[in-house]
Amino acid sequence: MHRNETEIESNQIVRPDQVGGTPGMFYSLLLKWMDIAACVSAEKHAKMSCVTVAMDDLKFSKESVSAGDLVTVRAQVNRAFGSSMEVGVTVWAEHIKTGCRSQICQGFFTFVAISDVPCTKVQLPPVQIRTEEERKEYVLAFQRRKIRQAAQRNVQDIVLDLKKSVPESSRIGLCPEQSGPKVKCQVTMIESLELVMPQHANHHGTAFGGQILEWMGNVVFIAASRLCRSSRAVPVALNRVVFRTPANVGDRLFLKACVNAVFHTR
């Protein structure tokens, strides 16, 4: 049976303290596990150090994860682009007692290879395609990259147009009125300060991307829970996270989250 050279699979047994009454907290930890697997896969292909640049198109299923379940994280490089590459990550949960296994999450990470020689441009080797599934992901990776680049330009254009055409004092009126009780944005706002300790650093000496994702996931879950109150907040998707600059040991990271909008779904 063919096994891709960049394929990485890790397994974790979920502990009670990781899911106790707060599913959102578990999914924050899951982001960390996914980033670890993706990084190892990227470095297997690059044969050098790699860092997380972005994560996007992350979707969670409605399947619940309980203490004692086996969580399997699988990562594989789909395609290389110069010095960057897309790594696809899929996660399954298995109920040990019943043997029932279901996919609970899937997403894509972008990594950049870093040469040990300063100011040296990296040119990654192409990914070897041996199966139809790998060929499909290879083609889709190129299309997803184009969509990411176009989406980033569109967002930047919208922000610029908004700043030019609408005074800051009146931008709050852009949101359409919704029926029902209103909750002020400040009610859902949560701020957190995290100190990057040595145990949070990766093998490059900077804050591990997966650790930052876990911290971000925690404050997002708290903000959503403040809105839901008696109802349970469950993560559904994560569109895009971009890492702009590295954080070093000793740095203090200020995280801030609030609910921007509410959408009616069935």
Side-chain angles (χ1 to χ4, degrees), residues 30-47:
L30 183 59
L31 296 178
K32 184 176 181 178
W33 292 348
M34 294 174 72
D35 188 66
I36 292 173
C39 182
V40 175
S41 176
E43 292 189 344
K44 283 194 70 174
H45 179 73
K47 302 295 191 295

Side-chain angles (χ1 to χ4, degrees), residues 45-48 77 79-82 84 122-128:
H45 179 73
K47 302 295 191 295
M48 63 181 68
V77 175
R79 187 164 182 161
F81 306 94
S84 68
V122 175
Q123 183 63 45
L124 293 171
V127 174
Q128 295 185 2

Side-chain angles (χ1 to χ4, degrees), residues 1-74:
M1 183 178 176
H2 166 68
R3 183 180 177 90
N4 189 286
E5 294 179 355
T6 69
E7 182 179 332
I8 291 294
E9 186 173 293
S10 66
N11 294 278
Q12 303 278 350
I13 293 292
V14 180
R15 303 194 310 267
D17 62 297
Q18 294 171 335
V19 292
T22 54
M25 294 303 180
F26 167 74
Y27 286 106
S28 300
L29 178 60
L30 183 59
L31 296 178
K32 184 176 181 178
W33 292 348
M34 294 174 72
D35 188 66
I36 292 173
C39 182
V40 175
S41 176
E43 292 189 344
K44 283 194 70 174
H45 179 73
K47 302 295 191 295
M48 63 181 68
S49 298
C50 297
V51 294
T52 314
V53 173
M55 177 186 67
D56 61 343
D57 203 19
L58 192 72
K59 295 180 176 63
F60 297 99
S61 73
K62 295 182 179 179
E63 298 292 333
S64 61
V65 179
S66 305
D69 287 354
L70 173 66
V71 173
T72 300
V73 182
R74 178 183 174 275

